Amino acid sequence: MTATTLTTDYLVVGAGAMGMAFTDALIDHADVHVTIVDRRHAAGGHWLDAYPFVHLHQASSFYGVASTLLGDGSVQLSGPEKGLGERARKPAIEAYFDDIMRRRFVGSGRVTFLSASEYRTDGDAHLVTSRVSGETVSVEVRRRVVDATYLSPSIPASTPPPFAVADDVPVVAVNRIADLSEPISPARFAPGAMTPRNFVIVGAGKTATDAIVWLLGHGVASNRITWVRPREPWMLNRAVVQPDPLVSLKLSADTMEAAARADSVDDFFLRLEAAGVMMRIDRGLLPTMAKAPTLGEWELDLLRSVENVVRLGHVRGISAREVVLDGGAVPLPPDSVVVHCAAAGLKYPPLVPLWGEKIRLQTIRAGFPCFGAALAGYVEATRDDDRDRNRLCPPNALADSPIDWIRMQLRGSMATRSFMAEDDIAAWANGCALNPARIGPDAREDPAVASASARLAEWAGPGLLRMGELSALP
């Protein structure tokens, strides 16, 4: 039964990174009230369910909301990533989003947060039901409903393994390997053993690489790890994705030159590898996956130390004796725990206009979803016509394959040209830390930045033309 009616200008469904970034930019540039609803107990989205040893795979300053820097923008002073931007860990990210929600949003009186609640519609009615009390609130929306869940990722902690598992096989989500003090059920390990003798990592993406790096960093010998890698991944060198205009301009120019000179999709990626942009784990194989998270060279060295790699496609089922895959079966090492890192991760829904019957948040430039959501919030606040909004913020898709990555780069480059041609958006974007391509007024006077900009201008036309040709390949 509906007990209460709330009135708001915007109803944002989802308090993850994109919903938070959109709301932050919107209330910064428009005098509006926003109601945010999320099924979780706090803001932060999938970070609340992520494995405890996760870090951002990019510099902290590229993540979060436009008004408030995540971290302090510093560079690492020691360790294998000395000189690179700091990368926040899970506790810092959770605390950051909680602070933004409570202090900046709710504390302003301009945002209402309905946490631990489910959103649904009934005809034209917008209904929010508490998962705690069961009470339902009707929300009267004066302006817009914003879907901030359109790209919500799937992660192992909340997604069952996508393969059959026999009852006597211990399979755990990646979250569990950080705490093996509790028995893993079913217990199949040697008598007296407190931990597994072997680890079978299932998955080829960032979660799997994080799991392996964490295990190796905690003394697990590489020969105790079996890596079931369905596809070979291309990954971005973290050193070239940094909040520094010189680094950013060089990355863009290297990408455009590689595209302009490329004979094929594979040749494009090999040229990016030669330029230090892309990395692959096995130099003898051409990757077919290009979700392209960033990876440190020190992490790459650790991953290459794992020699027990199974390349027989996706796992279909696991029994006490073997792992059955698309291309055959391999024995399951004795006293093994199977680590599920095989959730879909990134989502690839159809591209739709951001502004339609509701606002559906999607990426706009290549990657960097927080910047895209903040840009959409700024454009919503400062433009009145949906056709103009959609022109400035065309949707982009995240990449899965190499050709997807090229298409993402092409769409993102064209979108960037469009929104940066608007003086006010350009000024806002160049002052926004979330923007990986920002160039502040001081940097613009730097001769090195001017030279790097000239090189990018030289290669941008031919590079985009060739990307268009490559992206049209079947």
Side-chain angles (χ1 to χ4, degrees):
M1 184 175 70
T2 302
T4 308
T5 298
L6 299 178
T7 301
T8 191
D9 293 311
Y10 292 83
L11 177 60
V12 176
V13 182
M18 293 186 77
M20 295 288 283
F22 175 89
T23 301
D24 175 81
L26 179 65
I27 65 172
D28 221 17
H29 298 278
D31 183 14
V32 295
H33 182 272
V34 179
T35 296
I36 304 176
V37 58
D38 198 285
R39 63 183 179 82
R40 295 180 174 89
H41 71 280
H46 75 280
W47 288 102
L48 299 173
D49 302 320
Y51 42 100
F53 51 89
V54 67
H55 286 62
L56 281 174
H57 66 94
Q58 56 190 298
S60 295
S61 58
F62 292 150
Y63 203 79
V65 304
S67 70
T68 309
L69 197 65
L70 172 57
D72 60 9
S74 64
V75 300
Q76 300 177 56
L77 300 178
S78 61
E81 294 189 6
K82 182 178 179 180
L84 301 187
E86 63 165 350
R87 295 189 293 128
R89 299 177 61 211
K90 172 183 165 75
I93 298 166
E94 290 179 330
Y96 169 85
F97 281 122
D98 184 67
D99 176 68
I100 295 296
M101 177 62 77
R102 297 186 182 280
R103 175 186 55 80
R104 174 165 165 73
F105 287 6
V106 175
S108 72
R110 299 171 61 198
V111 176
T112 297
F113 183 34
L114 303 179
S115 63
S117 298
E118 298 283 357
Y119 165 76
R120 73 182 191 280
T121 58
D122 183 0
D124 294 332
H126 302 285
L127 304 175
V128 178
T129 301
S130 169
R131 301 178 69 190
V132 180
S133 69
E135 293 294 318
T136 296
V137 173
S138 176
V139 183
E140 181 182 327
V141 183
R142 287 189 289 252
R143 297 192 184 183
R144 297 278 192 173
V145 173
V146 181
D147 182 2
T149 68
Y150 198 62
L151 295 182
S152 294
S154 298
I155 63 174
S158 56
T159 307
F163 45 82
V165 182
D167 291 340
D168 57 349
V169 177
V171 176
V172 299
V174 63
N175 303 56
R176 280 294 313 278
I177 65 172
D179 183 9
L180 293 177
S181 59
E182 296 295 325
I184 294 176
S185 179
R188 295 181 54 250
F189 310 127
M194 296 297 294
T195 58
R197 185 194 306 171
N198 296 296
F199 295 84
V200 178
I201 309 297
V202 181
K206 177 183 181 292
T207 302
T209 62
D210 280 355
I212 291 168
V213 168
W214 191 87
L215 288 171
L216 293 172
H218 283 75
V220 176
S222 61
N223 62 6
R224 292 173 54 193
I225 298 173
T226 297
W227 190 356
V228 179
R229 206 156 76 213
R231 295 187 290 170
E232 292 297 309
W234 281 114
M235 297 187 177
L236 277 166
N237 185 346
R238 188 173 296 126
V240 305
V241 187
Q242 293 295 309
D244 180 316
L246 275 176
V247 175
S248 176
L249 287 166
K250 183 178 186 305
L251 169 62
S252 297
D254 286 345
T255 301
M256 293 300 171
E257 182 175 358
R261 296 183 183 277
D263 295 328
S264 65
V265 170
D266 285 338
D267 184 48
F268 179 27
F269 278 80
L270 291 173
R271 289 177 181 275
L272 289 173
E273 182 183 44
V277 173
M278 286 288 177
M279 303 191 299
R280 52 182 163 160
I281 302 162
D282 190 326
R283 298 183 184 91
L285 297 172
L286 279 173
T288 59
M289 186 166 79
K291 296 184 180 184
T294 68
L295 190 75
E297 293 186 72
W298 66 277
E299 293 172 303
L300 182 64
D301 291 339
L302 289 174
L303 296 174
R304 285 175 172 164
S305 73
V306 177
E307 297 181 355
N308 302 327
V309 180
V310 178
R311 300 182 180 89
L312 293 173
H314 290 89
V315 175
R316 296 303 178 193
I318 301 179
S319 71
R321 294 181 301 168
E322 63 182 9
V323 180
V324 180
L325 305 103
D326 293 331
V330 296
L332 183 69
D335 294 344
S336 288
V337 62
V338 178
V339 182
H340 161 37
C341 303
L346 302 179
K347 288 290 184 66
Y348 306 97
L351 291 179
V352 296
L354 270 71
W355 282 267
E357 78 280 6
K358 64 176 71 171
I359 298 174
R360 289 188 175 90
L361 298 182
Q362 295 155 83
T363 58
I364 297 169
R365 55 155 292 135
F368 300 94
C370 290
F371 174 70
L375 174 62
Y378 177 85
V379 168
E380 170 65 19
T382 59
R383 301 298 190 274
D384 295 324
D385 183 77
D386 281 357
R387 289 173 298 180
D388 194 34
R389 290 166 171 152
N390 281 320
R391 176 185 66 82
L392 294 170
C393 299
N396 204 344
L398 298 168
D400 181 54
S401 68
I403 201 163
D404 289 339
W405 192 85
I406 294 173
R407 290 167 179 160
M408 177 183 73
Q409 295 295 322
L410 179 61
R411 281 192 296 261
S413 296
M414 300 307 293
T416 300
R417 285 187 168 189
S418 178
F419 65 71
M420 289 298 283
E422 306 279 318
D423 289 343
D424 66 313
I425 297 179
W428 173 83
N430 280 320
C432 178
L434 300 176
N435 179 14
R438 71 167 177 154
I439 303 177
D442 293 341
R444 208 168 287 119
E445 304 301 321
D446 186 333
V449 170
S451 177
S453 297
R455 178 174 172 244
L456 174 57
E458 175 188 358
W459 287 105
L464 290 172
L465 179 63
R466 186 57 179 149
M467 279 189 196
E469 294 168 349
L470 293 173
S471 68
L473 295 175

